[in-house]
Amino acid sequence: KGLLGTAVNVQAMAFGNMGDTSGTGVLFTRDPNTGERALFGEYLVNAQGEDVVAGIRTPNPIKQLDDEMPEVYQELLKNVDILEKHFKDMQDIEFTVQEGQLF
């Protein structure tokens, strides 16, 4: 049929490198080795996305985010649940926190 339209994704620019209330991380919604329903991933405070995977700094286990930014961690858990229920599968997620707000 040919081109039916153009897909567009619009999102806010978020900065994880704005101090101790900001950061970035990557995670799976389940342990990819066992399938256990538990977050599996890492994050860094005061960093941008590339910093987590570049090996410049050692990331923290995702569970530690609950100690450093408990409100953000709880919001992340809620969003993870929504995504898994909607897509009916494990999700691979990248996120940014800018001054305490989850993106």
Side-chain angles (χ1 to χ4, degrees):
K1 278 189 160 187
L3 183 63
L4 298 177
T6 302
V8 177
N9 183 19
V10 178
Q11 62 188 51
M13 178 65 84
F15 299 93
N17 58 352
M18 297 186 72
D20 291 341
T21 60
S22 301
T24 187
V26 295
L27 64 91
F28 290 104
T29 56
R30 295 177 183 263
D31 184 324
N33 300 307
T34 66
E36 176 189 3
R37 189 170 187 179
L39 298 187
F40 183 91
E42 303 172 314
Y43 78 99
L44 283 170
V45 171
N46 194 25
Q48 287 290 90
E50 183 63 22
D51 299 334
V52 176
V53 295
I56 297 168
R57 293 170 49 195
T58 303
N60 301 314
I62 194 67
K63 181 63 179 146
Q64 192 174 322
L65 184 62
D66 194 17
D67 297 327
E68 290 194 56
M69 299 182 205
E71 296 86 11
V72 169
Y73 186 77
Q74 291 305 311
E75 185 178 356
L76 189 59
L77 288 177
K78 289 177 187 173
N79 282 286
V80 161
D81 191 48
I82 290 167
L83 289 167
E84 265 209 358
K85 284 180 181 174
H86 178 78
F87 291 107
K88 297 177 177 51
D89 201 356
M90 179 175 88
Q91 301 297 302
D92 180 357
I93 298 172
E94 296 184 22
F95 67 93
T96 297
V97 179
Q98 180 178 323
E99 297 177 319
Q101 183 176 357
L102 178 65
F103 290 88

